[in-house]
Amino acid sequence: MTPREPHDGPDSIRIVVADDHPIVRAGIVGLLETAPGIEVVGEAADGAEAVALAASERPDLVLMDLRMPGVDGASATASIVAAGGGTRVLVLTTYETDDHILAAIEAGASGYLLKAAPQAEILAGIRAVAAGETVLAPSIAAKLVSRVRADAASVAPPALSPREREVLVLVAEGRSNPEIAKALYIGEATVKTHLLHAFEKLGVNDRTRAVTRAMELGLL
């Protein structure tokens, strides 16, 4: 665990670099030290050191590798984010499998870049994350989109009863509750009950959103 002496201006982005490979870590530090407005305040060889440096140095950002001995990058990220000190984590790694990506994002990382990315992209990502943005390498973003779509496709839409569907069809036509009750030969209270059940199944709380959500799911 290596704290470093400050050498940049008061408004610089203060960074801890966490990577278990000394040569790789030195290369990252060398890149950052040549970039204006960035100050490396510590170096960590594993996740535990990264967590400790984040607590002691309170950097703006930790540049985090994922696979490290002992405490891995995802676990270290979760600890740093949970500490609530305002330090953000940008993952910089060679790994881009779905499991690695999701573990890092779920742990609270604000960005995920690959070490093979151009230096300008890495520096831009650091500045963006330090400014409060979320940054994902294009290949990572594509994987996440594909994963979300696959997960969404695997979830069966809610099952509306025939009567609930009839009520929503009439709502979509702009009918009021009294008009729906008259059309279906049921009481207004029953119409409201069917609507409330449909709202609950669709995860919405108003008539308009119920109709649009049912349409999105192919139920109408």
Side-chain angles (χ1 to χ4, degrees), residues 18 20 46 59 64 78 93 100-101 123 138 150 154 168 195-196 208 215:
D20 62 323
D46 58 44
M64 184 79 73
T93 185
H100 284 112
I101 297 166
L123 292 175
S154 68
L168 286 180
L195 280 173
L196 290 174
T208 301
M215 289 178 173

Side-chain angles (χ1 to χ4, degrees), residues 13-195:
I13 301 169
R14 303 176 69 254
I15 295 179
V16 165
V17 177
D19 197 299
D20 62 323
H21 296 287
I23 294 176
V24 173
R25 190 171 67 248
I28 295 170
V29 170
L31 167 65
L32 300 182
E33 287 185 330
T34 63
I38 292 178
E39 176 186 355
V40 177
V41 298
E43 298 178 38
D46 58 44
E49 290 186 353
V51 173
L53 275 173
S56 64
E57 299 298 318
R58 301 182 70 83
D60 300 301
L61 184 147
V62 175
L63 201 57
M64 184 79 73
D65 190 16
L66 283 183
R67 284 195 180 177
M68 294 183 288
V71 178
D72 64 19
S75 299
T77 296
S79 296
I80 291 169
V81 172
T87 298
R88 297 169 69 82
V89 177
L90 173 58
V91 170
L92 183 65
T93 185
T94 57
Y95 304 102
E96 54 177 323
T97 66
D98 288 358
D99 288 344
H100 284 112
I101 297 166
L102 291 175
I105 299 302
E106 289 172 357
S110 298
Y112 197 118
L113 295 177
L114 299 176
K115 290 177 180 176
Q119 293 183 353
E121 183 179 318
I122 293 173
L123 292 175
I126 287 171
R127 293 190 171 98
V129 169
E133 300 175 22
T134 298
V135 174
L136 295 173
S139 62
I140 301 302
K143 282 180 176 289
L144 284 177
V145 169
S146 297
R147 181 65 175 261
V148 169
R149 286 176 176 168
D151 289 346
S154 68
V155 177
L160 296 177
S161 71
R163 185 63 88 183
E164 289 162 358
R165 188 176 289 107
E166 287 177 335
V167 169
L168 286 180
V169 167
L170 293 173
V171 169
E173 293 176 358
R175 306 278 193 98
S176 66
N177 283 3
E179 291 171 335
I180 294 172
K182 184 176 180 180
L184 298 179
Y185 302 101
I186 57 178
E188 287 186 46
T190 304
V191 172
K192 291 179 181 178
T193 298
H194 288 312
L195 280 173

